[in-house]
Amino acid sequence: MKVVFIMVVHESDCAVHLKDSLHSIYLSASMCTCDTNVFIRTDGAISSEKIEIIRDARKYVSIDLFQGEREIGLTRNLNYLIQKTKGYDYIFRLDPDDLCLPPRIKTQIKYFEQNPDIEMIGSSAEVIDDDGKLKGVKKTPIGKIVFGGMMNY
């Protein structure tokens, strides 16, 4: 089974958070038997520090880096990355300041397999500060939402 994470990195993103985010993907991937890749698109130029973090992360997770020449925004960059995901069974989305809990891939794939009528999953998020202290929880509504085939890419 092939899964891919898509991520857009902007110059304003924190380098430390990016490093932690990529490491969290590795931890989640290590809990499943999936072939896991990460597609990163830069929204314009980013610092050499962030480029180096991405290169270092390739030691433990497969990463394809697509460098955007100019800033075009999150939506256009995500659409660009989605077009690159042909052949993957599942697409996961993560921002460079998000952490992926270790059981995420395994848990969400299991849910998809048990509910074949489901095409997309969202999740709640624990909001933490720069020191890792819990600030609150963002809850995602529970239930089915019909998108009318919008996910046909």
Side-chain angles (χ1 to χ4, degrees):
M1 179 169 316
K2 291 180 70 173
V3 302
V4 62
F5 279 82
I6 59 174
M7 177 185 291
V8 176
V9 178
H10 189 271
E11 177 53 33
S12 64
D13 292 320
C14 173
V16 172
H17 293 165
L18 172 62
K19 182 177 182 179
D20 291 345
S21 183
L22 293 172
H23 189 256
S24 75
I25 292 172
Y26 162 73
L27 293 175
S28 187
S30 69
M31 292 188 68
C32 72
T33 57
C34 304
D35 178 11
T36 305
N37 295 299
V38 181
F39 288 177
I40 298 175
R41 169 89 170 177
T42 65
D43 189 27
I46 61 172
S47 69
S48 58
E49 177 185 19
K50 291 183 188 92
I51 295 291
E52 192 60 34
I53 287 169
I54 293 166
R55 288 188 179 136
D56 284 348
R58 286 180 170 152
K59 295 174 187 170
Y60 52 84
V61 66
S62 174
I63 298 175
D64 290 331
L65 176 61
F66 304 94
Q67 293 183 305
E69 295 177 15
R70 60 186 176 86
E71 293 181 21
I72 60 173
L74 180 63
T75 303
R76 290 169 115 185
N77 280 306
L78 289 174
N79 286 335
Y80 174 91
L81 290 172
I82 289 170
Q83 294 303 313
K84 302 286 186 190
T85 64
K86 303 290 189 228
Y88 285 87
D89 299 300
Y90 297 99
I91 303 169
F92 290 82
R93 165 91 174 89
L94 201 67
D95 286 320
D97 63 348
D98 291 344
L99 298 177
C100 179
L101 294 177
R104 178 182 177 189
I105 297 173
K106 190 174 183 177
T107 301
Q108 289 185 338
I109 288 174
K110 181 179 177 182
Y111 186 85
F112 275 123
E113 290 174 348
Q114 292 173 347
N115 300 276
D117 59 321
I118 300 296
E119 294 180 351
M120 186 182 341
I121 296 175
S123 67
S124 297
E126 293 179 348
V127 180
I128 58 174
D129 64 18
D130 288 338
D131 297 321
K133 183 178 176 186
L134 183 65
K135 291 173 57 176
V137 176
K138 287 185 179 179
K139 296 274 187 180
T140 299
I142 298 175
K144 292 185 181 182
I145 301 171
V146 178
F147 285 99
M150 288 174 43
M151 297 311 295
N152 296 331
Y153 59 92

